[in-house]
């Protein structure tokens, strides 16, 4: 209870794989406040900007509140009967492999468990895959090749106990901010050395002792070079090697590689090799920069090879460590949510494993073969081989590579079900049946984070409208398809107990994932369950794996993999000379269906962008704030140009988040090809070949309104503001009548205040009752207007707006850097002039003093200002 007597509930953040504990205090009106849980082992009270803004994302605006069939509201009975009938008919006519589920790392473990059981055990197909395929499938494949199972050996504490942390393809500062904060604090306390391996300079580099700006996709060449160095300098752990096999082949393979392929200098390479060889306690963190590659699995194994060779695995402060992008990617792996996995880390291709799971479930037709992985699944949908598709809690029409074709495939499918919180996503708009699902704060169950800690997500808000839990929806369809007893679940606790009991089978097979110690947990114990790291058995709870040299392969030894560097699948050609790197921004999550609702998160980066090196920008004739047309053989996208030396030459970067709802021309997956890793099936999302040219519109504009509006221009990007909405626009066609255009855009009556100045800048403002209702600033070239000032004027009795700049009493704070305290770039730059120390700037402006997510960005601004000053 807080001071006002409101009940507080512990739960887990639904965003990244750090899995931070949160304390929720509902306000009784459908909202809540969110604070970090000091008792949660993942975050110990810390939260990043996204976690702190969770309370702003739970409104019912835009929520799907009732089932819909072909766009018309219906009741659950009718919708579920239709879903069950269509799946049953399709299976009867075309066989079990004619249907598929595509699910999500956002689902809870209990949701995953039921969906997987239904597809693999009862429908009898392996065709259930998950958006985690885009996230960490290469790690799963790499772990299984080396360890025999998909086991994360270490724990978060290892980051703090290490003397050297190597971050490979991981912008920890933006993508796993609380882990970054833990590492930064450890570095301050005992001088942990940090190496960042990344083709571009990211905010994470602010704490790097060494940044290896290698060429895109050359990680295997780097780690093969490291393995050779470890061999040459006698840094191998011969005793530990006795627990492994395949070293000779691995070193022979590594010796054939050339670390010069990385583009790094000999000095950089040997500095890294020396640091690694000379430091016992090394943790190598790797993430999507490794996984999202056509050679992602080999990259993972090249890292694991180095840790196995030195025996630096499973001991405090050392080991390879995959950090997952999604909150329950690990729970999905545990329940078999990937098409090529059985439940509980067992193998589909193993007849004994299949028999054991089949018996446990009393399953009539357990699948004997792996199903289609995500990219192949949507290709099969497009080819008409999959005729009934159920997409749960994810937005593949935006997030899958070759998104245009994926959207067409979904549209062409005979029968598509989407269960989601919203009906207006790019994917849900293509569905025949849309089912309202509970969202975070409303649902109840468990998630597993990157270091194997199982935590509870708890419901604190009542179910809106007719929304139901995903496990409940899948169970109900299972019952209606004829398997009443197998899916007669009444609660998440009941499913969790079954999941835990099933994992006891893996213990019998001598496998890693065993939480059978929780199989008898009562409902009240489940409700009170504290974060607990697996395994959880009568013999042990938590801890690390592989210190004892025992692995889950047939002979109990770890396997070295002989891997060689291979270039990214798509080859650069004169027509497509650039490699496009993609990733996340600090304050948005996936396709923004939730995070875009939080005002403070929308302030950070209001527009999709192309971060491009100055040399490339000069070649292309691009200036900052131009719009670039980025195109590949698959499609095109339009992005605002952000010129920065942080980008690699020849390899610009663009974020993944924008969709048809927020910036239709900036759906980045339209240009990303579906080339995949041969072992993991994970798509190569960070090395697409593209061409870039300047897009020259007839006019550009900045528009604001107190009401939501939907532009129809070729380019637009819209976000919320404190008092309404703001958008950037660009179009090929100049309106004949600007007033009429603005009235149509804002769906507003009346004549605007209207000014056209000598430079051709058109300025219009609509007022109602003396307060600003909407405004449009348009120009043939770029629009010079103090945007934050203009947006802050919405709904206000303001004068002088059409001067398009703030008055002396309202200085423009600039784009937001600190989302928590709403501190802008201009305010921070002003503070830097009078004090160059990070702590001084933070204390003067307040920025970075709450969650700390923006501190790397502030440090970056300080460093760049110092550089500029030194050069002057
Ligand atoms: Fe959520 Fe941020 Fe923690 Fe990730 S680091 S779980 S986004 S609070």
């Amino acid at each position: 209870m807080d001071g006002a007597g409101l009940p507080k509930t512990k739960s887990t953040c639904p965003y990244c794989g750090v899995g931070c504990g949160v304390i929720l205090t509902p306000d009784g009106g459908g909202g809540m406040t969110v604070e970090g849980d000091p008792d949660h082992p993942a975050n110990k009270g810390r939260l990043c900007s996204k976690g702190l803004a969770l309370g702003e994302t739970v409104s019912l605006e835009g929520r799907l509140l009732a089932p819909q069939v072909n766009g018309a509201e219906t009741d659950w009975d009718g919708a579920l009967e239709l879903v069950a009938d269509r799946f049953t008919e399709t299976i009867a006519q075309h066989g079990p492999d004619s249907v598929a589920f595509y699910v999500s790392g956002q689902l809870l473990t209990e949701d995953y468990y039921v969906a997987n059981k239904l597809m693999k055990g009862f429908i009898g197909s392996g065709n259930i895959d998950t958006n985690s395929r885009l996230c960490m499938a290469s790690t799963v494949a790499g772990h299984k090749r080396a360890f025999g199972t998909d086991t994360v050996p270490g724990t978060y504490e290892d980051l703090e106990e290490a003397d050297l942390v190597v971050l490979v393809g991981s912008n920890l500062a933006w993508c796993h901010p609380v882990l970054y904060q833990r590492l930064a604090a450890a570095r301050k306390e005992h001088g942990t050395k940090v190496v960042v391996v990344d083709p571009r300079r990211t905010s994470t580099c602010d704490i790097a002792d060494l940044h290896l700006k290698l060429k895109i996709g050359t990680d295997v060449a780097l780690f093969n070079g490291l393995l050779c160095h470890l061999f040459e300098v006698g840094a191998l752990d011969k005793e530990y090697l006795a627990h492994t096999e395949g070293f000779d082949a691995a070193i022979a393979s590594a010796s054939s590689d050339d670390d010069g392929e990385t583009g790094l200098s000999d000095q950089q390479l040997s500095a890294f090799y020396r640091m690694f060889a000379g430091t016992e306690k090394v943790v190598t963190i790797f993430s999507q920069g490794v996984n999202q590659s056509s050679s992602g699995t080999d990259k993972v194994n090249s890292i694991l090879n180095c840790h196995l060779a030195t025996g630096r695995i499973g001991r405090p402060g050392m080991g390879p460590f995959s950090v997952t992008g999604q909150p329950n990617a690990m729970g999905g792996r545990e329940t078999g949510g990937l098409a090529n996995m059985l439940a509980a880390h067992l193998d589909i291709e193993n007849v004994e494993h299949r028999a054991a799971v089949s018996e446990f479930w009393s399953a009539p037709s357990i699948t004997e073969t792996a199903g289609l992985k995500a990219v192949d699944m949507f290709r099969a949908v497009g080819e008409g081989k999959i005729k009934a598709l159920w997409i749960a809690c994810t937005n593949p029409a935006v997030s899958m590579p070759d998104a245009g074709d994926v959207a067409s495939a979904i549209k062409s499918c005979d029968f598509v079900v989407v269960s989601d919180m919203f009906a207006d996503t790019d994917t849900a708009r293509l569905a025949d049946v849309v089912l309202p699902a509970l969202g975070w704060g409303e649902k109840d169950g468990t998630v597993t984070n990157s270091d194997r800690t199982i935590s509870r997500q708890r419901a604190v808000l009542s179910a809106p409208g007719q929304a139901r839990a995903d496990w409940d929806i899948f169970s109900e369809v299972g019952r209606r398809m004829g398997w009443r007893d197998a899916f007669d679940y009444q609660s998440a606790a009941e499913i969790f107990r079954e999941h835990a009991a099933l994992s006891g089978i893996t213990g019998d097979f001598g496998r890693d994932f065993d939480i059978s110690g929780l199989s008898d947990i009562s409902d009240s114990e489940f409700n009170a369950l504290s974060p607990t790291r697996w395994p959880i058995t009568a013999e042990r709870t938590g801890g690390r794996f592989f210190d004892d040299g025992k692995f889950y392969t047939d002979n109990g030894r770890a396997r070295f993999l002989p891997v060689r560097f291979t270039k990214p699948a798509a080859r650069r050609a004169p027509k497509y000379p650039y490699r496009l790197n993609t990733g996340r921004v600090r304050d948005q999550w996936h396709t923004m269906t939730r995070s875009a609702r939080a005002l403070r998160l929308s302030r950070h980066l209001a527009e999709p962008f192309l971060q491009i090196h100055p040399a490339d920008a000069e070649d292309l004739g691009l200036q900052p704030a131009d719009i670039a047309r980025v195109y590949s053989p698959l499609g095109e996208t339009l992005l605002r140009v952000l010129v920065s030396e942080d980008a690699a030459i020849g390899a610009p970067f663009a974020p993944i988040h924008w969709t048809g709802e927020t910036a239709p021309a900036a759906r980045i997956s339209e240009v990303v090809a579906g080339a995949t890793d041969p072992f993991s099936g994970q798509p190569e999302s960070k090395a697409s070949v593209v061409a870039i040219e300047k897009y020259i519109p007839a006019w550009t504009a900045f528009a604001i309104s107190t009401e939501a509006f939907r532009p129809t221009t070729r380019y637009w990007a819209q976000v919320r503001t404190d008092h309404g909405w703001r958008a950037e626009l660009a179009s090929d066609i100049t309106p004949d009548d600007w007033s009429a255009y603005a009235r149509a855009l804002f769906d507003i009556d009346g004549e605007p205040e209207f000014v056209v100045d000598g430079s051709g800048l058109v300025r219009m403002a609509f007022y109602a009752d003396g307060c600003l209702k909407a405004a449009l600033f348009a120009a043939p070239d770029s629009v010079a207007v103090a945007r934050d000032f203009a947006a802050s004027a919405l709904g206000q009795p303001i004068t002088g707006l059409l001067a398009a700049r703030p008055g002396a009493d309202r200085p423009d704070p600039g784009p937001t850097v600190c989302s928590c305290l709403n501190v802008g770039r201009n305010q921070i730059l002003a503070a830097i002039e009078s004090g160059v120390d990070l702590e001084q700037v933070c204390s003067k402006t307040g920025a970075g003093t709450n969650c700390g997510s923006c501190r790397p960005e502030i440090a970056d601004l300080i460093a760049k200002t110092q550089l500029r000053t030194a050069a002057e």
Side-chain angles (χ1 to χ4, degrees):
M1 305 281 263
D2 72 0
L6 293 168
K8 287 175 179 277
T9 302
K10 292 194 171 192
S11 188
T12 313
C13 174
Y15 292 124
C16 80
V18 179
C20 295
V22 289
I23 299 178
L24 312 178
T25 310
D27 62 11
M32 64 171 85
T33 55
V34 179
E35 57 196 309
D37 179 357
D39 300 326
H40 197 290
N43 56 318
K44 298 173 184 163
R46 298 177 175 99
L47 288 179
C48 75
S49 48
K50 291 189 287 289
L52 274 170
L54 273 166
E56 293 178 30
T57 68
V58 296
S59 84
L60 297 189
E61 186 190 334
R63 279 295 293 270
L64 175 66
L65 298 174
Q68 293 179 4
V69 174
N70 298 325
E73 258 186 35
T74 183
D75 57 16
W76 272 108
D77 197 45
L80 291 170
E81 203 61 28
L82 177 66
V83 173
D85 284 353
R86 289 296 298 264
F87 270 76
T88 303
E89 283 164 18
T90 307
I91 293 162
Q93 272 185 22
H94 304 284
D97 289 333
S98 65
V99 302
F101 295 164
Y102 185 66
V103 298
S104 164
Q106 316 280 301
L107 288 175
L108 303 184
T109 297
E110 294 72 19
D111 305 323
Y112 253 128
Y113 180 87
V114 176
N116 184 58
K117 179 179 174 180
L118 178 57
M119 181 55 78
K120 294 209 179 108
F122 289 74
I123 289 175
S125 170
N127 283 348
I128 173 169
D129 211 41
T130 159
N131 61 12
S132 294
R133 180 71 60 193
L134 317 183
C135 173
M136 34 38 59
S138 297
T139 292
V140 175
H143 281 167
K144 289 187 78 171
R145 291 203 303 184
F147 307 148
T149 49
D150 172 25
T151 312
V152 174
T155 71
Y156 288 160
E157 289 76 48
D158 291 328
L159 267 72
E160 285 150 342
E161 296 190 40
D163 294 319
L164 170 65
V165 173
V166 183
L167 292 143
V168 193
S170 162
N171 182 7
L172 207 69
W174 279 21
C175 301
H176 301 91
V178 165
L179 275 191
Y180 173 84
Q181 288 171 29
R182 286 179 68 163
L183 175 59
R187 182 173 178 267
K188 204 168 172 185
E189 213 164 284
H190 73 261
T192 316
K193 296 284 182 222
V194 176
V195 175
V196 172
V197 180
D198 199 312
R200 70 184 184 114
R201 190 191 182 285
T202 66
S203 288
T204 305
C205 295
D206 286 328
I207 58 165
D209 298 280
L210 180 65
H211 173 205
L212 299 177
K213 207 170 174 180
L214 79 180
K215 282 190 199 158
I216 276 191
T218 59
D219 311 63
V220 171
L222 177 68
F223 283 90
N224 270 346
L226 173 61
L227 189 66
C228 291
H229 177 83
L230 295 168
F231 181 63
E232 283 156 18
V233 301
L236 307 184
D237 183 336
K238 299 227 169 75
E239 218 173 287
Y240 200 80
L241 282 178
H243 301 292
T244 67
E245 63 183 10
F247 178 76
D248 290 347
I251 194 73
S253 190
S255 308
S256 311
D257 247 359
D258 176 7
D259 57 9
E261 294 279 3
T262 59
L264 299 168
S265 68
D266 289 347
Q267 289 88 339
Q268 288 173 312
L269 289 167
S270 55
F272 171 51
Y273 295 165
R274 277 200 311 273
M275 282 170 92
F276 195 107
T279 314
E280 177 74 352
K281 290 188 168 183
V282 184
V283 170
T284 305
I285 293 180
F286 53 99
S287 192
Q288 313 318 350
V290 168
N291 289 325
Q292 292 178 335
S293 161
S294 56
S295 57
T297 308
D298 283 353
K299 288 181 181 179
V300 170
N301 285 108
S302 71
I303 294 169
L304 302 187
N305 282 350
C306 293
H307 279 272
L308 289 170
T310 50
R312 294 171 187 164
I313 186 166
R315 288 187 282 151
M318 53 187 100
F321 203 119
S322 144
V323 285
T324 59
Q326 296 207 73
N328 200 27
M330 293 282 276
R333 287 147 77 166
E334 290 151 16
T335 53
L338 289 158
N340 52 322
M341 294 173 80
L342 203 51
H345 281 198
L346 294 172
D347 300 325
I348 291 178
E349 53 277 12
N350 184 312
V351 69
E352 289 173 14
H353 290 187
R354 284 203 309 272
V357 176
S358 179
E359 186 184 337
F360 181 87
W361 280 341
S362 302
S365 50
I366 197 153
T367 185
E368 295 182 3
T369 52
L372 294 170
K373 297 171 184 144
V375 170
D376 291 336
M377 179 182 282
F378 284 101
R379 281 190 185 134
V381 172
E383 289 161 4
K385 293 176 184 159
I386 287 176
K387 297 170 188 304
L389 174 67
W390 186 342
I391 299 164
C393 197
T394 183
N395 200 357
V398 180
S399 54
M400 283 293 295
D402 199 359
D405 274 6
V406 168
S408 302
I410 296 170
K411 202 171 175 186
S412 71
C413 187
D414 289 354
F415 186 62
V416 178
V417 182
V418 167
S419 38
D420 205 320
M421 292 165 67
F422 308 104
D424 58 358
T425 70
D426 291 33
T427 302
R429 279 196 286 269
L430 305 172
D432 300 288
V433 179
V434 193
L435 304 173
L438 294 181
W440 177 85
E442 300 154 2
K443 56 188 188 178
D444 196 54
T446 57
V447 288
T448 308
N449 72 3
S450 297
D451 84 341
R452 294 179 273 111
T453 299
I454 297 172
S455 300
R456 291 275 281 109
Q457 267 195 24
R458 295 184 172 91
V460 296
L461 303 173
S462 50
Q466 299 177 44
R468 291 168 72 165
D470 288 279
W471 63 259
D472 187 23
I473 304 172
F474 278 113
S475 298
E476 180 70 51
V477 170
R479 290 196 288 271
R480 287 169 190 251
M481 289 178 77
W483 302 298
R484 183 149 294 281
D485 292 345
F487 294 95
D488 190 24
Y489 299 114
Q490 302 302 315
S491 69
E494 188 183 351
I495 299 164
F496 183 82
R497 281 191 287 272
E498 186 178 310
H499 167 56
L502 174 59
S503 79
I505 290 177
T506 60
D508 295 344
F509 285 115
R511 311 281 285 188
D512 63 336
F513 176 69
D514 188 343
I515 59 167
S516 55
L518 296 173
S519 57
D520 293 328
I521 193 170
S522 68
D523 285 1
S524 58
E525 286 167 335
F526 181 74
N527 284 339
L529 185 68
S530 299
T532 312
R533 186 178 288 138
W534 64 258
I536 307 158
T537 67
E539 289 78 38
R540 72 175 277 202
T541 298
R544 299 175 176 86
F545 283 93
F546 308 139
D547 176 26
D548 56 4
K550 291 186 184 145
F551 293 85
Y552 298 100
T553 52
D554 292 345
N555 61 8
R557 292 174 178 218
R559 286 188 288 249
F560 281 92
L561 269 293
V563 290
R564 294 285 305 273
F565 161 65
T566 49
K567 290 183 175 164
R571 295 283 187 256
R572 265 198 272 223
K575 213 171 156 198
Y576 299 104
Y578 295 94
R579 272 208 193 283
L580 182 69
N581 187 358
T582 65
R584 291 179 175 167
V585 301
R586 191 191 77 196
D587 283 0
Q588 293 296 346
W589 177 255
H590 281 195
T591 59
M592 296 164 66
T593 47
R594 181 198 308 277
S595 53
R597 283 156 201 274
L599 269 175
R600 66 169 109 168
L601 298 183
S602 297
R603 288 190 195 115
H604 179 227
L605 287 165
E607 212 180 346
F609 60 87
L610 181 76
Q611 184 193 54
I612 188 165
H613 193 275
D616 292 333
E618 192 180 343
D619 286 349
L620 291 160
L622 291 171
Q623 298 292 326
D626 279 349
I627 297 175
R629 176 174 172 256
V630 180
Y631 60 99
S632 75
L634 301 164
E636 70 163 35
T637 179
L638 297 175
L639 302 164
R640 186 70 66 183
V641 171
L642 201 159
V643 179
S644 168
E645 289 186 355
D646 293 347
I649 294 177
F653 170 86
I656 59 171
H657 307 288
W658 277 266
T659 70
E661 291 170 74
T662 47
R667 288 160 36 103
I668 202 69
S669 293
E670 294 272 359
V671 299
V672 176
T676 56
D677 177 274
F679 305 102
S680 68
Q682 179 151 1
E684 182 154 69
S685 304
K686 291 181 178 289
S688 305
V689 289
V690 297
I692 302 169
E693 64 184 23
K694 183 171 174 171
Y695 166 54
I696 305 174
W699 56 272
T700 64
F702 175 67
I704 51 175
S705 173
T706 51
E707 304 296 326
F709 57 101
R710 193 173 170 88
T712 52
T713 45
R714 179 165 171 193
Y715 174 83
W716 61 266
Q718 189 176 60
V719 290
R720 283 159 202 265
T721 70
D722 286 330
H723 307 293
W725 301 79
R726 59 186 273 183
E728 301 288 340
L729 288 72
S731 176
D732 298 325
I733 305 158
T734 305
D736 295 330
D737 179 341
W738 277 106
S739 293
Y741 178 82
R743 279 195 295 275
L745 173 67
F746 298 125
D747 191 19
I748 205 168
D749 294 328
E751 281 304 314
E753 202 177 283
F754 194 110
V755 178
V756 181
D757 68 16
S759 67
L761 178 65
V762 177
R763 288 171 277 161
M764 275 173 285
F766 293 87
Y767 292 89
D769 301 327
C771 295
L772 182 68
K773 196 90 179 86
L776 181 74
F777 303 83
D781 206 334
S782 59
V783 177
V785 56
R787 284 160 164 75
D788 292 298
F789 159 72
S792 70
L794 278 171
Q796 309 297 310
I798 194 148
T799 54
L801 178 77
L802 297 190
R805 60 177 182 276
D809 57 332
R810 296 186 65 164
D812 182 8
T816 298
V817 174
C818 174
S819 304
C820 297
L821 300 175
N822 197 17
V823 183
R825 194 172 194 273
N826 294 345
Q827 291 166 294
I828 290 166
L829 288 173
I832 290 172
E833 282 171 19
S834 56
V836 291
D837 170 77
L838 175 64
E839 296 308 327
Q840 283 176 296
V841 174
C842 290
S843 118
K844 194 172 160 74
T845 60
T849 56
N850 193 29
C851 79
S853 300
C854 61
R855 290 171 77 89
E857 210 167 329
I858 300 168
D860 199 36
L861 285 173
I862 294 170
K864 283 180 176 152
T865 307
Q866 284 173 333
L867 270 179
R868 257 197 312 276
T869 311
E872 280 162 12

